[in-house]
Amino acid sequence: MTSALRLHGYPVSNYFNIARAALIEKRLVHDIVTARAAQDDAFLAMNPMGKIPVLESPDGWISETVAITEYLDDRFPDHSLRHADLADRATARQIVNIVQMYLEAPIRSLFPGVFANGANDQRTVDSVAATLDRSTRALRMLCRSDPFLVGSAISQADLFAFYNFDIAERVGHFVYGRSVIAEAGLAAWFNGMAKRDSSRLIMADFELHFRQYLADHDAPYRAPPPFLSGQQTHA
Ligand SMILES: N[C@@H](CCC(=O)N[C@@H](CS)C(=O)NCC(=O)O)C(=O)O
């Protein structure tokens, strides 16, 4: 028998991992359907952007990870990943946006020269560095790490930040020799997040598939950076 919730995607994807973590943290029964991003008509009917993750739900196909996590909270309010306090809720959403737009997106523009057999031009490398300066400074100012990013309750901000900082740390160290996690003052928070059951399960799957992905793409990136090497989940 299949579950009412089926998450389509692949464990190398940081966004798939965020959506999967939301399902686990909310204790929702779900199935995983292994799928790669695609631009064919069948996939575009599920997600017009042709990206993963995509959630198959009783209310239809849902894509864009923030739409998935907020749908899950609206449909299944238990174990909410959004704060009741409106100021906290707005801060968490602000962190989600900063992490996606000013940390993950610029880092993603460097993927070709890190996780594939491509090259990054110097102008991109320089402009990404300047954006990372601003986003890590902003996150240092906004995040409380007490123990979660917006106080005592885990929220979608923690999930978006954890999986996107994991990938950003790899790229940031490879390209610049910098630690974006340390710059944002988030080392203790990251270590705490890495110990969660959801993170251990998801990162174990990530490691398994990532090795093959790097080999398939003839990637220059080989080993995790020093900060992540110290993580038990990345051993
Ligand atoms: N804004 C999207 C981003 C999803 C995304 O970028 N997914 C990547 C994998 S991590 C993907 O599908 N890439 C393939 C492509 O862009 O064609 C979301 O929030 O879900």
Side-chain angles (χ1 to χ4, degrees):
M1 206 177 79
T2 58
S3 310
L5 296 171
R6 289 154 58 88
L7 186 67
H8 296 242
Y10 168 63
V12 170
S13 158
N14 41 316
Y15 277 104
F16 170 79
N17 288 340
I18 295 165
R20 187 178 180 194
L23 285 160
I24 296 171
E25 292 288 348
K26 288 180 66 63
R27 287 99 154 140
L28 293 170
V29 175
H30 61 278
D31 289 327
I32 299 294
V33 182
T34 303
R36 304 292 184 101
Q39 294 292 320
D40 58 78
D41 288 347
F43 200 92
L44 294 177
M46 292 167 19
N47 175 2
M49 282 300 291
K51 289 176 180 276
I52 53 169
V54 189
L55 182 72
E56 194 178 346
S57 81
D59 299 291
W61 294 104
I62 301 170
S63 55
E64 288 299 310
T65 305
V66 76
I68 293 172
T69 57
E70 295 195 349
Y71 163 79
L72 291 175
D73 256 359
D74 290 336
R75 191 72 155 85
F76 309 100
D78 286 355
H79 307 290
S80 178
L81 292 171
R82 284 177 295 179
H83 300 87
D85 179 90
L86 292 184
D88 285 349
R89 185 181 283 227
T91 302
R93 193 63 172 78
Q94 183 181 0
I95 291 170
V96 167
N97 268 38
I98 291 173
V99 161
Q100 290 188 98
M101 296 187 66
Y102 310 124
L103 180 82
E104 204 270 357
I107 282 287
R108 182 173 289 271
S109 71
L110 301 173
F111 281 6
V114 182
F115 299 140
N117 188 15
N120 295 323
D121 67 76
Q122 195 55 45
R123 277 172 64 166
T124 307
V125 169
D126 293 343
S127 80
V128 168
T131 306
L132 295 179
D133 290 343
R134 287 178 70 174
S135 57
T136 52
R137 182 185 63 191
L139 291 166
R140 180 179 272 275
M141 292 169 74
L142 274 173
C143 295
R144 285 186 226 150
S145 308
D146 185 25
F148 298 106
L149 293 185
V150 189
S152 58
I154 191 167
S155 74
Q156 59 173 345
D158 296 280
L159 304 185
F160 274 83
F162 180 71
Y163 293 98
N164 285 332
F165 262 105
D166 177 273
I167 211 75
E169 185 72 11
R170 294 166 197 268
V171 175
H173 186 265
F174 186 89
V175 176
Y176 307 106
R178 64 194 281 188
S179 167
V180 286
I181 293 175
E183 288 169 32
L186 292 176
W189 163 83
F190 190 95
N191 287 337
M193 285 295 294
K195 292 191 178 80
R196 296 183 74 77
D197 288 346
S198 62
S199 313
R200 287 178 186 275
L201 175 76
I202 289 170
M203 292 312 296
D205 261 6
F206 169 84
E207 290 294 349
L208 203 66
H209 291 82
F210 193 44
R211 246 172 257 144
Q212 190 59 50
Y213 178 96
L214 295 173
D216 290 347
H217 290 79
D218 196 15
Y221 176 96
R222 287 280 178 274
F227 180 79
L228 296 182
S229 305
Q231 294 290 323
Q232 286 177 353
T233 50
H234 300 79

